[in-house]
Amino acid sequence: MADASHVMWGGRFREPMDPRLDRLNRSLPVDRRLWAEDLATNRAWVHALEGAGVLTAEERGTLLTGLEVVERVLADGAADDAGDEDIHSLVERLLGELIGALAGKLHTGRSRNDQVATDLRLWTLGALGRLDVTLAALGRALVAKAREGLDVLMPSYTHTQRAQPVRFAHWSLAHAWPLVRDRARVADAGRRTSVLPLGSGAIAGTGFAIDRAALAARLGFAAASPNSMDAVGDRDFAVEAVFVATLAAVHLSRLAEDLVLFSTAEFGFVVLGEPFTTGSSLMPQKRNPDSLELVRGKAAQLLGRLAGMLAALKAMPVGYQKDLQDNNAALFDALDGACAAADLMAGVVAGLTLQPGRMAAALDAASLATDLADLLVQAGRPFREAHGVVGALVRRGEELGVPIDRVPAGEAGAIDPGLPAVLARLGGAEAAVERRRTAGGTARAAVLAQLEAAAAAFSG
């Protein structure tokens, strides 16, 4: 347990904290990573206290100089083995050892409640920025791979069954657009996080004439919180950040699952780069997609973190409660995990080797059934009727053991007199792809337009 002289609240107590409570109460092992944010908060508060007439210019200079030294000490790892309760008490102790009793003025008019909320918001803003950078890098990798696979055709899948032919570029961009939405959510979450709690005190506000608008501007916040009671207990920003990170991780997991399947010997559509695979301790031939499996697992962990945070908040009274402390670890883990997973996936995608021959071999005439129905519609048949005719053709092909485009004309004509003529116009996968010329379709021109839009979305 930390020395009682370094506990920020010990004056009212005669007996020391029970060691069992101390072990559960100490947050320094988790929140020590907030030391840079805590120093920024402290520096801004020094200026605010001077503006409120609590500090002289000389005291302000001494405190800021001391905080510079504390910053160097913390950068060298002073928090790693410290016994203090949290990062705030550690900073105050280190400052006091340097400048003496003047350090005690630093906590004037504020509480750890508004201090930790401010530190967490500062950290979250930085973490959201880092997440945006990694998502953008993955998006650019998907766009680059789409350019490479613009003229490569492959089957698409619904219900994990072959559906219609598409360009590989279309598949790649189908994973890029969710990242565009993720980045928009990151920006939205950042705007709601950029609200300053400092100056709210423990719950009722500060008793000193602090200019909170100037304080917010100094720390880079867009505004100051409008209600002190709400501000100290508000962790909506943390939940939202974890939700954004979790949904991004779900998108990464879906991409990972596609690539797990596509890289199997059964599919063989892509080959994973060796640096992103591992071997087997028993089977020498194995090359396992561990990078992709780890990304899938990370998404599951983040889902659990999000559920835990919401469960902790659901019955919590207004204001600060110590339960909130456990949410810090969830916030750190979720944002760290999402960033690491996105960074890893960017490397995986960039290192993919496409296998156009295997993709082409997986295309079959059954994937052209919708095109055949569309041709019947163009010949004047209602779509539902055309659907039934083509379904009967598919069934007859299965009975004969041939693809639908190889069913003998006599057999096709027996199903419907119009079938032989439209079968002659059906064409192959390239023709089917080029029929999808509308915006968002998989025709070459449509995909090129999509490529440029996606490239622009990830350029900044």
Side-chain angles (χ1 to χ4, degrees):
M1 180 175 173
D3 189 298
S5 63
H6 301 141
V7 175
M8 300 173 79
W9 45 266
R12 180 249 184 271
F13 290 79
R14 287 191 296 269
E15 297 182 54
M17 183 187 295
D18 187 288
R20 291 166 292 188
L21 174 57
D22 179 55
R23 284 192 295 272
L24 198 60
N25 180 64
R26 286 183 70 245
S27 63
L28 185 61
V30 172
D31 65 27
R32 65 187 182 188
R33 67 186 301 164
L34 293 174
W35 65 266
E37 288 77 16
D38 199 65
L39 288 170
T41 299
N42 279 318
R43 290 188 178 105
W45 192 246
V46 167
H47 288 287
L49 288 176
E50 182 189 17
V54 175
L55 298 175
T56 66
E58 181 180 359
E59 288 174 326
R60 180 254 299 157
T62 301
L63 283 163
L64 291 177
T65 299
L67 288 170
E68 288 180 8
V69 178
V70 170
E71 181 175 21
R72 292 195 291 271
V73 170
L74 288 170
D76 287 338
D80 293 350
D81 298 313
D84 301 81
E85 182 179 349
D86 54 32
I87 188 62
H88 322 296
S89 53
L90 171 61
V91 169
E92 188 170 311
R93 174 174 68 80
L94 293 174
L95 185 62
E97 291 172 356
L98 286 168
I99 67 172
L102 177 59
K105 283 193 171 185
L106 182 57
H107 208 61
T108 303
R110 74 177 183 189
S111 165
R112 284 185 299 179
N113 296 357
D114 59 344
Q115 190 176 353
V116 68
T118 304
D119 290 357
L120 283 173
R121 283 179 181 266
L122 282 174
W123 185 90
T124 301
L125 285 169
L128 287 170
R130 292 188 291 275
L131 179 57
D132 183 67
V133 168
T134 57
L135 291 173
L138 174 55
R140 287 191 292 272
L142 286 165
V143 168
K145 200 56 63 173
R147 290 192 191 281
E148 182 182 336
L150 178 61
D151 294 314
V152 175
L153 302 187
M154 61 176 281
S156 62
Y157 294 85
T158 64
H159 307 277
T160 326
Q161 305 295 313
R162 288 177 185 168
Q164 294 174 274
V166 296
R167 296 181 182 277
F168 178 86
H170 203 54
W171 171 87
S172 187
L173 293 172
H175 285 289
W177 289 113
L179 303 182
V180 174
R181 299 192 293 272
D182 288 330
R183 295 186 71 202
R185 277 184 284 268
V186 166
D188 287 343
R191 283 188 283 273
R192 281 182 284 278
T193 301
S194 190
V195 177
L196 174 77
L198 198 59
S200 297
I203 194 167
T206 181
F208 295 84
I210 299 296
D211 184 343
R212 294 191 69 218
L215 186 60
R218 182 177 291 277
L219 282 168
F221 286 100
S225 57
N227 183 290
S228 62
M229 187 176 292
D230 173 56
V232 296
D234 173 21
R235 293 299 183 271
D236 291 1
F237 72 93
V239 172
E240 185 173 10
V242 172
F243 166 73
V244 168
T246 300
L247 186 52
V250 167
H251 293 147
L252 301 180
S253 182
R254 296 185 71 189
L255 171 59
E257 176 61 15
D258 267 4
L259 291 176
V260 166
L261 290 173
F262 288 176
S263 63
T264 60
E266 287 73 17
F267 277 78
F269 290 0
V270 298
V271 176
L272 300 175
E274 283 195 7
F276 299 99
T277 60
T278 67
S280 165
S281 62
L282 179 64
M283 296 172 282
Q285 84 281 8
K286 291 295 295 295
R287 193 146 73 82
N288 298 323
D290 284 21
S291 56
L292 303 172
E293 293 163 359
L294 289 168
V295 168
R296 286 189 319 203
K298 184 58 68 176
Q301 291 178 355
L302 267 62
L303 282 165
R305 287 296 201 184
L306 178 61
M309 292 180 78
L310 289 168
L313 292 172
K314 71 174 181 61
M316 193 174 290
V318 73
Y320 182 82
Q321 325 293 329
K322 202 56 176 276
D323 318 36
L324 292 171
Q325 180 170 291
D326 280 343
N327 277 348
N328 298 353
L331 174 66
F332 298 153
D333 182 63
L335 272 294
D336 287 350
C339 286
D343 189 36
L344 177 59
M345 288 303 294
V348 170
V349 170
L352 289 177
T353 301
L354 307 188
Q355 301 293 302
R358 290 295 298 269
M359 294 187 216
L363 292 165
D364 59 27
S367 67
L368 308 178
T370 302
D371 293 80
L372 191 56
D374 289 346
L375 289 171
L376 285 170
V377 169
Q378 291 171 15
R381 309 290 286 276
F383 177 75
R384 190 53 56 207
E385 182 180 320
H387 188 287
V389 167
V390 175
L393 178 69
V394 171
R395 184 175 66 248
R396 186 57 180 149
E398 290 174 347
E399 291 168 352
L400 297 172
V402 297
I404 59 173
D405 59 346
R406 299 293 178 85
V407 173
E411 293 279 355
I415 295 170
D416 187 277
L419 266 178
V422 294
L423 276 167
R425 296 167 45 209
L426 182 59
E430 183 72 34
V433 164
E434 285 305 298
R435 290 187 185 105
R436 271 75 189 166
R437 294 187 295 272
T438 53
T442 193
R444 196 176 196 278
V447 173
L448 273 172
Q450 186 188 163
L451 256 173
E452 298 314 312
F458 293 113
S459 62

